[in-house]
Structure formats: structure tokens, C-alpha cells
Amino acid sequence: PIELIYEDGKCNGKDGASAAQKLVNVDKVEIILGGSCSSETLAAVPIAEAAKVFLFTGSATSPDLIGKSKFFARDYPNDLTQGQVLAEAAAQKGWKKVAVIQEQTDYASGIIKAFTTRFGELGGNVVKEEFPTDTNDFRSPLTKLKAAKSDALLISTQTTSSGERILTQMRELKWAPALMVNDVIGTNKETVERNKTVLEGALLADFLLDATNPKLASLNATYMERYGKEMGYPNYTSAVYDSVYVVRDGIAAVGYDGEKLADWVRTVENWQGASGSITIGADGERESGHVLKVIRSGKVEVPQ
């Protein structure tokens, strides 16, 4: 049996640090599952490391977390490959200049950093507008980006709510550029269906799930039975789900000890979960990456 103690990191460094401090110092945990967001996880890592607590996430994907600590690992691919795959797709399209609108969070910026570096290596240029999380009116940055006459627009937001407002205001400005979106926007089925017209042909880079995987099918069925709808983010949901069972197997193997679990997880190879086969390297990273996908008629598919 595993007892779960919940604290809300609120997707920012300050609250993430407070949540980690409470779990470590008050609850005396040996393992923290999370954080959900990169910002709160980055803040929690040094706290976990100082206490020799194992920090394991299935959804914090910033490249800035790579090699951050021996006490940190994850079972979801980091966003280095997400940005690189999008950059290579843009170059293959013959695009020379890409406009970017990016939320000012560690997750959203991590994708853009990787994209900008790789796109630059391939001869491309980026023109970028950033916005804070509490922004609701995107017309000014969108108007500036429209005037830049780029070949395409890449949208990188922390949440679908910001992404959908951007898409709505693009329509209001009568701007219909070629689009790329990050996986938060592109993997949310409800967002894609609601915005299927503006998102038609949009590219994204996503972690590839195996639809024939019986563990994924079981998770899908259980989720549907419990919540009455399909998983909004099947990739992230399945990885977070798997993280609990990876930790369970770790406790069975080496005991309830943060330092031993941090070492053990780096020996995980071909562990079979709902998100597929999991192998975690010596750097604590899941050894898999992103693949290019395209949105067609409100569905996300691998291009032929």
C-alpha cells in the first residue's frame, strides 16, 4: 500500500518550493511524485537533494532539468526533442522565418529554446513575443508577429486556456498562418476538436503511444468509467500513472529509501507500462523522444 500526501505546487517556483519543504520537513517523505509543472519541479529539486528525497515526475519536461540532480528522474521525455523535431519539420517545409508566441514559464520556454537553437543551425530565424501567465489579451503581440510576415507561427503555452484564447484572437485578427503548436495544445482532444478549423494542418511534436498496448487500453477504460470521458492528455496521464507503479516496484526492490530509489530507477530497463516500454538512463531521463504529428479534421495523426 502507498499513502499519498498531496500538496499544491501551483505551477510556480515559490509554491513548489513550499510544497516540497512541507513534504520533506513535516511529512518526512522519502519520495515526491511531481511536480506537475517544470517551474515547481525546478524549485523542488534542491530541496529534495538536500534531504536525499527521491523526486520522480511524469509530466515536468523542461530541458533545464536534465542532469539537475541524482535525486531527480522522470518517465516522460524532456522537451529538447520536442523543440528539435519542430525545428527540423519547419526547415523541411522550407520555412526561413518562424514567429513565436510564448508564455513566460519554464516549460513553454524550454521548447522554444530547443526550437530556436536547432532552427538556427538549419539556417532559420525566429521572431518572438513573450507574455506573462495572467495575460488575456493577445492582440498586440499577435499584431506585431503578423506584421513580421513570417512563414509560420509557433504557439507555446503552459495551458490550453491561453492557447485557445490565442487561437480565438488570431481569428478575430483574420490571421491564418501556417501553425505549429506545443504538445499541451496539440494533445488535448477537446481543444483540438473545438478549434479544428484554425488548427487544420498544424504540426506538433508528441510522445508516441501504442494504441494496441493492453495496459493503455485498461487505463483508458478505467478513466472513462470513472470520469465519463476520455483522458484529455493521454500521454501525460499515462506517464504519471506509470510513475506510481515504477515507484512501487522500486520500493519492493530496494526499500523505502530515497537515495536507494534514486539509484535504482537508473537501472530501469524495458519496464512495461500504460505509456509503453520505459528505460531510464544514468542521467535520470526516459530514453525516448518525440515524433512529428499533424492535426487533420480535428484529429491528431502521424503524417504519411
Side-chain angles (χ1 to χ4, degrees), residues 56-61 65-67 72-81 207-210 213 234-243 246 265-266 268-290:
F56 191 49
T57 181
S59 59
T61 54
L65 284 161
I66 299 172
F72 170 77
R74 50 187 160 192
D75 70 340
Y76 196 95
N78 68 68
D79 287 322
L80 191 62
T81 54
F207 174 48
L208 187 63
L209 291 177
D210 179 4
N213 179 353
N235 290 13
Y236 285 110
T237 304
S238 60
V240 171
Y241 177 84
D242 285 345
S243 70
V246 171
V265 81
R266 285 158 168 79
V268 168
E269 185 174 0
N270 295 326
W271 188 96
Q272 300 301 310
S275 66
S277 179
I278 298 173
T279 295
I280 297 176
D283 58 358
E285 297 293 314
R286 180 169 180 165
E287 293 184 356
S288 57
H290 296 77

Side-chain angles (χ1 to χ4, degrees), residues 47-64:
I47 297 166
E49 182 176 54
K52 296 184 178 181
V53 167
F54 177 42
L55 184 64
F56 191 49
T57 181
S59 59
T61 54
S62 170
D64 290 341

Side-chain angles (χ1 to χ4, degrees), residues 100-151:
V100 168
I101 184 164
Q102 175 226 300
E103 191 166 348
Q104 293 169 337
T105 66
D106 290 294
Y107 157 72
S109 66
I111 297 168
I112 300 307
K113 286 177 185 176
F115 176 86
T116 301
T117 298
R118 183 61 180 142
F119 196 46
E121 292 170 351
L122 297 170
N125 295 306
V126 169
V127 54
K128 182 174 70 171
E129 291 288 327
E130 298 182 7
F131 63 90
T133 296
D134 59 358
T135 301
N136 290 308
D137 188 347
F138 301 96
R139 286 171 293 186
S140 177
L142 287 173
T143 298
K144 291 178 183 177
L145 293 172
K146 181 181 179 181
K149 300 187 183 301
S150 299
D151 298 309

Side-chain angles (χ1 to χ4, degrees), residues 67-97:
K68 195 74 174 174
S69 169
K70 69 161 281 184
F71 289 91
F72 170 77
R74 50 187 160 192
D75 70 340
Y76 196 95
N78 68 68
D79 287 322
L80 191 62
T81 54
Q82 183 174 175
Q84 291 171 341
V85 167
L86 288 174
E88 289 163 5
Q92 289 171 1
K93 288 278 189 181
W95 297 339
K96 299 298 183 184
K97 183 165 70 169

Side-chain angles (χ1 to χ4, degrees), residues 94 98 106 267:
V98 170
D106 290 294
T267 70

Side-chain angles (χ1 to χ4, degrees), residues 15-265:
D15 290 293
S18 296
Q21 291 280 11
K22 190 264 185 181
L23 291 168
V24 167
N25 297 318
V26 177
D27 298 305
K28 306 295 185 183
V29 302
E30 291 287 330
I31 305 155
I32 296 176
L33 291 169
S36 295
C37 299
S38 294
S39 297
E40 62 191 12
T41 308
L42 282 160
V45 167
I47 297 166
E49 182 176 54
K52 296 184 178 181
V53 167
F54 177 42
L55 184 64
F56 191 49
T57 181
S59 59
T61 54
S62 170
D64 290 341
L65 284 161
I66 299 172
K68 195 74 174 174
S69 169
K70 69 161 281 184
F71 289 91
F72 170 77
R74 50 187 160 192
D75 70 340
Y76 196 95
N78 68 68
D79 287 322
L80 191 62
T81 54
Q82 183 174 175
Q84 291 171 341
V85 167
L86 288 174
E88 289 163 5
Q92 289 171 1
K93 288 278 189 181
W95 297 339
K96 299 298 183 184
K97 183 165 70 169
V98 170
V100 168
I101 184 164
Q102 175 226 300
E103 191 166 348
Q104 293 169 337
T105 66
D106 290 294
Y107 157 72
S109 66
I111 297 168
I112 300 307
K113 286 177 185 176
F115 176 86
T116 301
T117 298
R118 183 61 180 142
F119 196 46
E121 292 170 351
L122 297 170
N125 295 306
V126 169
V127 54
K128 182 174 70 171
E129 291 288 327
E130 298 182 7
F131 63 90
T133 296
D134 59 358
T135 301
N136 290 308
D137 188 347
F138 301 96
R139 286 171 293 186
S140 177
L142 287 173
T143 298
K144 291 178 183 177
L145 293 172
K146 181 181 179 181
K149 300 187 183 301
S150 299
D151 298 309
L153 172 67
L154 169 55
I155 304 172
S156 185
T157 63
Q158 184 72 39
T159 63
T160 55
S161 56
S162 293
E164 291 202 49
R165 282 194 290 270
I166 289 170
L167 294 171
T168 297
Q169 290 173 29
M170 281 171 52
R171 289 195 296 268
E172 293 170 353
L173 292 170
K174 295 182 170 55
W175 187 29
L179 275 179
M180 292 184 287
V181 295
N182 65 352
D183 60 352
V184 154
I185 298 171
T187 62
N188 186 279
K189 292 183 178 181
E190 294 176 352
T191 294
V192 171
E193 289 170 359
R194 279 195 295 265
N195 298 274
K196 65 180 181 180
T197 300
V198 67
L199 286 173
E200 180 66 21
L203 301 178
L204 63 143
D206 189 19
F207 174 48
L208 187 63
L209 291 177
D210 179 4
T212 66
N213 179 353
K215 290 191 175 183
L216 178 61
S218 176
L219 174 58
N220 277 327
T222 302
Y223 192 97
M224 177 67 78
E225 180 182 353
R226 182 167 298 181
Y227 300 109
K229 61 180 181 179
E230 293 184 341
M231 294 184 289
Y233 298 98
N235 290 13
Y236 285 110
T237 304
S238 60
V240 171
Y241 177 84
D242 285 345
S243 70
V244 180
Y245 291 94
V246 171
V247 163
R248 175 203 63 183
D249 288 356
I251 295 170
V254 300
Y256 184 62
D257 182 293
E259 188 165 15
K260 289 180 180 178
L261 286 164
D263 291 333
W264 172 86
V265 81

